[in-house]
Amino acid sequence: MIKVAITDDHPLVTKGIISMLAPFSQIEIVGVYHTAAATLQGLEEKTPDVLLLDIILPDQSGKELVPVIRQRFPQVQIVALTSLDAPTMVSAMMRRGCMGYLLKDTDTATLIAAIEAVHRNESFIEPSLKEKMVQNMIRFRDNNSRPAPVITQREKQVLQLIAEECSTQEIADRLFISFRTVENHRQRLLQKLDVKNTIGLLKVAIQAGLIK
């Protein structure tokens, strides 16, 4: 029996995961949480073998939470859940202590494979991301002689939060700046990286190594 807990601030997501796991007798859901604080409290009360953890939570990012969990509950294997398929985000989460990385549109077979793999202390990355990571390495190798765009520290902070799927208001709240200021930073980033939208912004930022 593999004890599994789920942390995601969207009830539809947690209900969907529970429904996907329900037919598998080797899986036992021992906790469902919607915030980082609730997760830490729940892990104290009943520690799972595997935690499926959303990267973006209302009170703390998954990137910040993972090292805390690894320190306090080293026996818990963490699988990151996100809709962001940026290779740099995969690397960042794995460096912080995740054993797995899944996209939220993953299928049941992949979800079960990930849970079973990390329970065996093996790493698991969404199969569709592996080729993208290889291609990203090739692009970086081919373009590493080009100078990276020069951006300010504040613009870099805004860029990183955009990569973490934060809304404009969430970025404003985290950085203690106004909504309009965030939008101004976003527009300057679009101009500096010579792109038209957020997808292009993240693509160029990843290639230039501007996002960790």
Side-chain angles (χ1 to χ4, degrees), residues 7-204:
T7 296
D8 194 292
D9 60 330
H10 296 94
L12 284 177
V13 173
T14 56
K15 289 179 181 178
I17 295 172
I18 292 171
S19 178
M20 291 171 73
L21 297 178
F24 297 90
S25 58
Q26 76 271 34
I27 304 293
E28 178 188 4
I29 305 296
V30 297
V32 176
Y33 314 109
H34 302 295
T35 65
T39 299
L40 292 174
Q41 181 178 349
L43 295 182
E44 289 280 4
E45 296 171 358
K46 194 162 187 178
T47 306
D49 300 309
V50 177
L51 172 65
L52 304 176
L53 177 67
D54 188 10
I55 290 179
I56 307 299
L57 298 171
D59 55 341
Q60 188 178 26
S61 74
K63 290 173 70 174
E64 298 169 333
L65 182 59
V66 168
V68 177
I69 295 174
R70 293 298 300 156
Q71 182 177 23
R72 292 175 55 179
F73 309 97
Q75 69 273 40
V76 177
Q77 303 289 19
I78 304 171
V79 177
L81 279 173
T82 183
S83 57
L84 184 63
D85 60 356
T88 51
M89 185 61 71
V90 180
S91 299
M93 294 304 293
M94 301 298 273
R95 285 198 308 269
R96 283 166 171 78
C98 287
M99 286 294 290
Y101 193 102
L102 290 176
L103 298 177
K104 287 189 175 181
D105 61 355
T106 194
D107 57 38
T108 301
T110 303
L111 177 60
I112 293 297
I115 291 172
E116 293 180 337
V118 301
H119 186 243
R120 295 191 301 266
N121 203 33
E122 300 172 2
S123 61
F124 188 98
I125 297 174
E126 182 89 27
S128 63
L129 287 176
K130 290 185 177 180
E131 178 62 25
K132 183 170 291 190
M133 294 179 74
V134 171
Q135 293 302 319
N136 183 69
M137 292 173 63
I138 294 173
R139 286 196 300 270
F140 179 78
R141 181 197 64 194
D142 292 343
N143 293 291
N144 62 4
S145 60
R146 301 177 186 178
V150 178
I151 64 175
T152 67
Q153 183 61 31
R154 178 63 83 189
E155 288 169 346
K156 189 172 183 179
Q157 291 173 333
V158 170
L159 182 60
Q160 185 64 47
L161 290 173
I162 291 173
E164 294 178 12
E165 304 179 84
C166 293
S167 68
T168 299
Q169 189 58 59
E170 288 171 334
I171 295 173
D173 292 342
R174 290 199 186 189
L175 298 180
F176 303 103
I177 56 180
S178 70
F179 185 98
R180 183 180 295 275
T181 299
V182 175
E183 284 300 302
N184 289 339
H185 283 309
R186 188 192 298 269
Q187 288 304 314
R188 282 196 292 271
L189 284 166
L190 291 172
Q191 293 172 2
K192 287 185 176 183
L193 275 63
D194 192 24
V195 293
K196 297 179 180 179
N197 52 43
T198 300
I199 294 175
L201 184 67
L202 293 176
K203 181 179 179 180
V204 173

